[in-house]
Amino acid sequence: NAYVDAALMEEAVLIVLSNAMEASKEEATIQCSLKRQRDQYAIIIQDQGKGIPHEILPQIFEQFFTTKSNGVGLGLSICKRIMDQHHGKITIESKVDQGTIVTLLIPQQISKT
């Protein structure tokens, strides 16, 4: 079992899904899955969007960092904070013009938050 703050985890997933939708073309597919991996759960969100350039990947969790003309740069920093609060982790794999895979990793046996 994993004990999570459902509202916070929902917020993290919605932020990632929103980013995936914004990065993807209208007819693109976004896949979302939940897997149990050893001692953790993984929420995996994969898009077919424009991808994230390798050189900016180290900055994407910084507060107020954004590449969007109308963005404020809080989404992924909030996700990281939520995952940290749950003793979890967020990982991102991305290839320009091919898409992005965001994985939210949640330990199975953590205490209630």
Side-chain angles (χ1 to χ4, degrees), residues 6 8 14 19-20 29 36-37 64 69 71 78-79 81 83 88-89 95-98 106 111-112:
L8 289 177
L14 288 176
N19 285 350
T29 299
R36 188 174 177 173
Q37 298 176 339
F64 304 116
S69 60
I78 290 170
C79 280
R81 187 181 75 231
M83 297 312 297
K89 185 176 179 181
K95 293 183 181 176
V96 174
D97 298 326
Q98 293 183 27
I106 308 158
S111 60
K112 290 183 181 180

Side-chain angles (χ1 to χ4, degrees), residues 8-19 45 60-62 73-92 102-106:
L8 289 177
M9 198 57 59
E10 179 181 0
E11 181 178 1
V13 170
L14 288 176
I15 288 169
V16 175
L17 283 172
S18 176
N19 285 350
I45 299 168
I60 61 174
F61 295 115
E62 292 177 14
L74 292 175
L76 288 176
S77 66
I78 290 170
C79 280
K80 181 162 180 355
R81 187 181 75 231
I82 290 169
M83 297 312 297
D84 289 347
Q85 288 174 343
H86 287 86
H87 308 286
K89 185 176 179 181
I90 180 173
T91 65
I92 297 186
V102 178
T103 305
L104 306 174
L105 297 166
I106 308 158

